[in-house]
């Protein structure tokens, strides 16, 4: 089990969902956790920061490589306290929640990937 990356409420779940505006089914590769702007975001497991910068559609985004082809993605963050190449430990504060690249307010978008494929984060979180 992994620690939850931020205190808050999960408002969007992993998997297929209906886009009512366009009447199509999309797939969400992660979860959205609604919380206050400025809340600390923690690394869920030890690893190395693979990416820490702006990414279109995700705002400020950080990707951590945990080894064994496991990665976590943290998006829409405001301030980033770690840079590409930095080592992090589980529980380290890596960023603060923001609304960068989000059109729905302050939240953390969180993904777990294994061999490049998204897996349901809820099954991994305490």
């Amino acid at each position: 089990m992994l620690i939850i990356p931020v205190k808050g409420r999960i408002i969007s779940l992993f998997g297929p969902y209906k886009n009512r505006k366009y009447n199509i089914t999309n797939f969400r590769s992660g979860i959205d956790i609604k919380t206050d702007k400025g809340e600390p975001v923690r690394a869920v497991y030890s690893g190395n920061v693979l990416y820490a910068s702006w990414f279109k559609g995700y705002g400020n985004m950080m990707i951590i490589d945990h080894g064994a082809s496991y990665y976590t993605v943290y998006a829409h963050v405001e301030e980033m306290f770690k840079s590409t190449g930095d080592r992090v430990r589980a529980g380290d504060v890596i960023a603060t929640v923001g609304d960068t690249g989000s059109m729905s307010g302050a939240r953390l978008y969180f993904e777990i990937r294994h061999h490049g494929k998204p897996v349901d984060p809820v099954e991994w979180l305490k």
Side-chain angles (χ1 to χ4, degrees), residues 25-62:
T25 299
N26 287 334
F27 188 87
R28 184 174 294 106
S29 298
I31 60 174
D32 282 308
I33 304 170
K34 181 82 174 147
T35 189
D36 295 327
K37 196 171 182 175
E39 273 296 310
V41 176
R42 298 181 186 279
V44 297
Y45 197 78
S46 298
N48 293 306
V49 178
L50 188 66
Y51 182 88
S53 192
W54 180 268
F55 195 85
K56 188 177 180 186
Y58 291 86
N60 289 331
M61 182 174 82
M62 190 176 295

Side-chain angles (χ1 to χ4, degrees), residues 1 13 25 28 32 35 50 59 68 76 92-93 123:
M1 297 302 273
L13 294 172
T25 299
R28 184 174 294 106
D32 282 308
T35 189
L50 188 66
H76 306 309
D92 283 356
V93 175
E123 295 176 9

Side-chain angles (χ1 to χ4, degrees), residues 28-115:
R28 184 174 294 106
S29 298
I31 60 174
D32 282 308
I33 304 170
K34 181 82 174 147
T35 189
D36 295 327
K37 196 171 182 175
E39 273 296 310
V41 176
R42 298 181 186 279
V44 297
Y45 197 78
S46 298
N48 293 306
V49 178
L50 188 66
Y51 182 88
S53 192
W54 180 268
F55 195 85
K56 188 177 180 186
Y58 291 86
N60 289 331
M61 182 174 82
M62 190 176 295
I63 301 172
I64 299 176
D65 178 352
H66 302 285
S69 298
Y70 280 98
Y71 303 87
T72 50
V73 178
Y74 310 77
H76 306 309
V77 299
E78 188 74 25
E79 245 186 304
M80 290 191 276
F81 303 126
K82 301 293 179 181
S83 303
T84 301
D86 285 354
R87 180 91 183 131
V88 298
R89 293 187 320 247
D92 283 356
V93 175
I94 57 171
T96 58
V97 170
D99 57 5
T100 63
S102 167
M103 294 188 282
S104 325
R107 67 192 53 236
L108 176 70
Y109 175 75
F110 177 70
E111 275 185 23
I112 297 175
R113 290 185 168 260
H114 187 232
H115 291 290

